[in-house]
Amino acid sequence: MKYRTVGSTELKVSAVGFGVWTVSTTWWGISDEAFGTGLLRRAYDLGITLFDTADTYGQGKGETMLAAALRDVPRDRFVIASKFGYDFYNNPPREGQRELPQDFSPAYVRFALEQSLRRLGTDYIDIYQAHNIKMPHIRSQELFATLEDLKREGKIRHYGAALGPANGWEPEGLAVMRSRDIATLQVIYNMFEQDPGGRFIDAAERENVGVLVRVPHSSGLLEGRYTADTVFPPTDHRSHRTREWLTEGLQKLAQVGFLTEGTGRTVGQAAIQFVLSSPSVASVLPNIYDAEQLEEFAAAPDTPELTAAEFARVQELYARNFGVELSTAGRTLPAINTTV
């Protein structure tokens, strides 16, 4: 494993982190809590030190699972990034991918933090992220004054923002980096979905903000596991996507074989190295479903970095959509989980 410094902070994190949402929600077909907890502990044993969760993941389940997995690990040996802003305490769960009401008031932020600290079994959170922050929240002096107070009180070390729902949110991402003293910005970015993530990464380098990248495998297309015959079970959120999403993604995947041929990388590892090519990226948060995949992704930073020629070739392919003509259905994909 390799480690990177987060933006202008003193935090060092593993270049590959663990996104706890995969094992603490049902969006990826995982319902065995003991299995998920075991994966989290194995991740730490492999050198992963950044664990990204949220209070809303399984309505607190993500935080309690993480606490159980690392209960005997000294607290200063790993970094917790959690999120706040969705009020699941006072609102019933929403069906499908509909968002819960958000609350970024000082009183709610303090309440939510105390609940997260209790579930995590810790007295501080390393990176506290405003979950799917919107422009009115970015303009809120009260919100950011509260976060500064929490830093002074030692309950959080740094704060950041996670962008969503789904991909996009360019005005919000640029505004929060320019106008607020955030340590991190969490975005979607991968070989197949480079906009606006690439622009966020460029801006983060100027603003000295550490970028946390989720969905580096384009919801599984860049993992190399799927074929045109793959059928996702109803418990997997990708079962709601159009068939064109899969078939067109596989056509794109066929164009990047040069990243694996004779390089010592799997395609899943090449996808991670593509993201890590940007120095402002602090850590990559792949979706992890099983132990074999965890081992593969954790080893990615130790594979050869993409050469300048390889990176340039990917960019050239992206500029022409990897030679794939989008169908009408392929242009209107359902959103990724709205509360990630």
Side-chain angles (χ1 to χ4, degrees):
M1 181 57 67
K2 290 182 170 58
Y3 300 87
R4 293 185 168 198
T5 300
V6 179
S8 60
T9 77
E10 77 291 359
L11 288 178
K12 279 194 174 293
V13 298
S14 52
V16 172
F18 196 118
V20 180
W21 86 288
T22 313
V23 297
S24 60
T25 69
T26 59
W27 290 99
W28 299 90
I30 297 174
S31 58
D32 186 336
E33 188 169 333
F35 171 78
T37 302
L39 279 182
L40 290 167
R41 180 52 193 245
R42 179 58 182 155
Y44 175 79
D45 292 340
L46 290 170
I48 289 176
T49 60
L50 174 65
F51 295 87
D52 177 75
T53 187
D55 60 1
T56 193
Y57 291 175
Q59 295 188 321
K61 181 179 176 182
E63 293 175 330
T64 57
M65 287 178 65
L66 182 57
L70 303 181
R71 64 163 53 96
D72 61 345
V73 178
R75 180 63 183 84
D76 61 354
R77 301 287 181 85
F78 60 95
V79 173
I80 297 174
S82 197
K83 307 183 192 74
F84 67 96
Y86 283 107
D87 183 5
F88 65 91
Y89 299 96
N90 300 302
N91 295 280
R94 299 293 180 95
E95 292 183 3
Q97 299 186 42
R98 294 173 59 204
E99 279 190 278
L100 284 167
Q102 290 179 303
D103 189 343
F104 288 94
S105 66
Y108 182 78
V109 171
R110 284 187 171 275
F111 167 78
L113 176 60
E114 292 299 331
Q115 304 311 303
S116 288
L117 292 173
R118 176 182 55 80
R119 286 189 293 262
L120 288 162
T122 185
D123 55 5
Y124 68 93
I125 290 174
D126 299 280
I127 306 171
Y128 203 39
Q129 302 163 94
H131 200 173
N132 293 349
I133 194 169
K134 312 297 193 298
M135 200 64 80
H137 314 137
I138 295 169
R139 298 190 183 109
S140 170
Q141 299 296 347
E142 281 190 329
L143 169 59
F144 287 92
T146 300
L147 292 171
E148 287 292 336
D149 287 343
L150 293 171
K151 279 182 66 176
R152 283 190 289 270
E153 294 165 21
K155 294 188 174 184
I156 64 174
R157 294 178 70 186
H158 304 281
Y159 57 83
L163 296 183
N167 209 346
W169 303 93
E170 186 169 5
E172 287 79 3
L174 296 177
V176 75
M177 281 192 285
R178 290 168 181 162
S179 64
R180 300 300 181 185
D181 189 24
I182 61 170
T184 62
L185 185 72
Q186 186 174 145
V187 304
I188 292 172
Y189 177 66
N190 56 68
M191 277 193 277
F192 293 169
E193 299 168 283
Q194 296 188 35
D195 296 306
R199 293 189 289 278
F200 290 142
I201 287 170
D202 291 342
E205 191 164 356
R206 295 191 297 271
E207 302 293 340
N208 210 4
V209 170
V211 181
L212 306 179
V213 172
R214 70 180 188 269
V215 199
H217 294 102
S218 193
S219 297
L221 293 174
L222 284 160
E223 292 170 3
R225 286 187 162 199
Y226 306 118
T227 71
D229 297 323
T230 296
V231 176
F232 295 103
T235 53
D236 190 310
H237 79 282
R238 291 168 295 182
S239 65
H240 301 291
R241 288 180 176 266
T242 64
R243 199 66 190 165
E244 288 80 7
W245 169 78
L246 178 61
T247 57
E248 291 169 6
L250 292 173
Q251 291 175 53
K252 293 179 183 180
L253 183 64
Q255 300 301 310
V256 296
F258 65 93
L259 294 175
T260 61
E261 294 164 3
T263 66
R265 316 180 198 103
T266 66
V267 67
Q269 292 170 334
I272 289 173
Q273 284 288 22
F274 171 81
V275 177
L276 291 174
S277 297
S278 301
S280 59
V281 172
S283 190
V284 180
L285 303 167
N287 296 321
I288 295 169
Y289 332 120
D290 57 47
E292 179 183 6
Q293 192 179 51
L294 171 60
E295 301 268 348
E296 176 189 351
F297 294 165
D302 297 316
T303 63
E305 298 177 1
L306 264 63
T307 65
E310 287 174 326
F311 189 86
R313 187 170 173 188
V314 171
Q315 298 302 79
E316 186 274 331
L317 285 166
Y318 178 76
R320 55 186 183 86
N321 198 41
F322 297 84
V324 177
E325 183 176 350
L326 280 176
S327 68
T328 301
R331 294 191 185 98
T332 55
L333 297 178
I336 297 168
N337 179 10
T338 55
T339 56
V340 168

